[in-house]
Amino acid sequence: MLQFAIFIGKTRETIRKQYSEETLKILDELRLLDDDFMTMVFDENKEATDLMLNIILKRDDMKAIKVERQEIQKEMKNPLVGGRGVRLDIYAKDSEGRTYDIEVQQSDSGADVHRARFNSAMLDVRMLKAGQDFSEINESYVIFITKHDIVGAGLPMYHADRVFKETGEDFGDGNHIVYVNGSYDGDSSIGRLMHDFRSYNSAEMYYPELANQVRYYKESKEGREVMCKAIEEYAEKRSEESRIETLFNIMKGLMESMKWTAEQAMNAMQISDSDKAILTKRF
């Protein structure tokens, strides 16, 4: 353990020369409950996705889910012109043709039930090709892993399936929405899974399918460099987005107060041509 600690210390010292202390602090505080880090860990790691789905959906070895295809940060465009699209944290399809959208949400608002409905619809609308019968549509699952217990009943998971209200019988349309309580700490497979999602250190984790990738990104020189670069690129992107948002708000204020057109406001602000192109699209 002492030799390992010395190795990690040297790794961090080497990377510290390249990246700021703030960046390294952010990296050390990342957990699987942070969606950007989670998608990095699960990228090309179908074993981790298999593990997660089988625990959440309580499948045993005889009915185990086997992911055949998955995409990280998959963008789904709305077929309607001007319609809102969605970006899925993890999109997966198993050997039986079932599809999954797995989302990690820090804020309760990010797991709004209407968002779950919308994501579910975006999965379903892509399942059938022209000429296929409606009965051929496969099962779909939208799974939200939330930092807090958003339902508040203290349970590890909450399953939302359609039922006939008068009889309580399952509607049977194959549409499933699941909320996983990320704060759950029970002595069970789902409790251990959520413990791993909350862990900062791979040594504290139960499941090697998760711990190995967390260890790579947080403790190896190569992995930490990848993460530090991603963190700084993200920070630069957010800074640029904030700059554009500020310009846009000033521009709208001038248009309202001075009764100017967008072009007049941008000229008065001496906006560059490149920023003009970006701001014009905001209208």
Side-chain angles (χ1 to χ4, degrees):
M1 288 297 292
L2 177 59
Q3 289 179 333
F4 179 73
I6 292 172
F7 169 75
I8 293 300
K10 289 182 177 179
T11 297
R12 289 177 175 171
E13 183 62 33
T14 300
I15 296 174
R16 189 172 287 114
K17 296 175 182 177
Q18 295 177 262
Y19 297 99
S20 69
E21 288 293 337
E22 183 180 359
T23 296
L24 293 172
K25 185 174 185 294
I26 291 172
L27 173 56
D28 289 338
E29 292 178 351
L30 286 176
R31 304 179 293 173
L32 292 175
L33 277 176
D34 300 290
D35 59 348
D36 290 324
F37 184 58
M38 186 270 289
T39 54
M40 292 284 284
V41 169
F42 278 78
D43 190 19
E44 299 184 7
N45 187 6
K46 289 192 288 188
E47 293 80 7
T49 308
D50 288 344
L51 170 79
M52 179 169 58
L53 289 175
N54 283 296
I55 290 175
I56 292 173
L57 300 180
K58 299 181 179 180
R59 300 298 176 87
D60 56 28
D61 291 341
M62 297 298 293
K63 298 180 180 179
I65 296 167
K66 186 68 175 177
V67 171
E68 287 195 340
R69 172 189 163 210
Q70 75 175 32
E71 296 180 49
I72 304 301
Q73 294 293 330
K74 179 178 176 60
E75 184 176 358
M76 285 191 167
K77 295 184 178 179
N78 195 314
L80 293 175
V81 176
R84 178 168 182 170
V86 66
R87 187 181 297 275
L88 311 182
D89 285 346
I90 300 177
Y91 168 82
K93 190 171 185 178
D94 70 16
S95 56
E96 301 297 321
R98 295 173 292 235
T99 57
Y100 307 87
D101 165 31
I102 305 162
E103 303 287 328
V104 167
Q105 291 295 330
Q106 288 269 5
S107 66
D108 295 350
S109 61
D112 183 85
V113 294
H114 300 93
R115 180 175 181 179
R117 173 183 170 184
F118 185 80
N119 284 20
S120 181
M122 293 293 277
L123 289 180
D124 290 348
V125 77
R126 286 163 172 74
M127 284 195 197
L128 296 182
K129 297 180 180 179
Q132 282 188 278
D133 190 82
F134 289 114
S135 63
E136 296 180 68
I137 194 168
N138 287 308
E139 286 186 277
S140 68
Y141 292 81
V142 173
I143 300 170
F144 280 98
I145 301 173
T146 60
K147 182 179 180 180
H148 305 110
D149 179 1
I150 64 171
V151 177
L155 298 175
M157 292 181 289
Y158 306 93
H159 297 75
D161 289 355
R162 292 185 178 94
V163 298
F164 289 103
K165 292 181 68 173
E166 288 75 15
T167 66
E169 293 181 6
D170 185 12
F171 186 55
D173 62 345
N175 175 273
H176 310 280
I177 295 171
V178 183
Y179 284 88
V180 183
N181 174 10
S183 66
Y184 184 73
D185 198 26
D187 185 20
S188 61
S189 57
I190 188 65
R192 289 189 287 272
L193 180 66
M194 290 303 98
H195 169 275
D196 284 3
F197 265 70
R198 294 191 302 271
S199 296
Y200 297 100
N201 189 335
S202 65
E204 300 171 353
M205 300 174 74
Y206 289 100
Y207 295 106
E209 295 90 341
L210 303 175
N212 291 339
Q213 284 295 88
V214 170
R215 183 179 302 112
Y216 171 75
Y217 283 118
K218 298 194 75 170
E219 298 170 15
S220 75
K221 180 177 183 294
E222 296 81 3
R224 285 177 70 84
E225 285 180 345
V226 169
M227 286 306 304
C228 285
K229 183 178 180 182
I231 290 168
E232 294 198 347
E233 287 178 350
Y234 178 74
E236 289 176 5
K237 179 182 177 183
R238 289 297 301 271
S239 177
E240 176 63 11
E241 289 175 350
S242 177
R243 185 183 69 83
I244 292 296
E245 184 69 21
T246 299
L247 289 177
F248 183 72
N249 289 332
I250 294 172
M251 180 177 145
K252 283 201 306 181
L254 286 173
M255 291 172 65
E256 292 172 3
S257 62
M258 304 299 291
K259 308 302 180 187
W260 284 346
T261 64
E263 185 68 24
Q264 288 174 320
M266 286 189 287
N267 288 337
M269 294 168 63
Q270 298 183 341
I271 299 293
S272 67
D273 291 340
S274 58
D275 284 348
K276 278 184 179 181
I278 297 171
L279 291 167
T280 300
K281 290 180 181 179
R282 295 286 299 269
F283 286 92

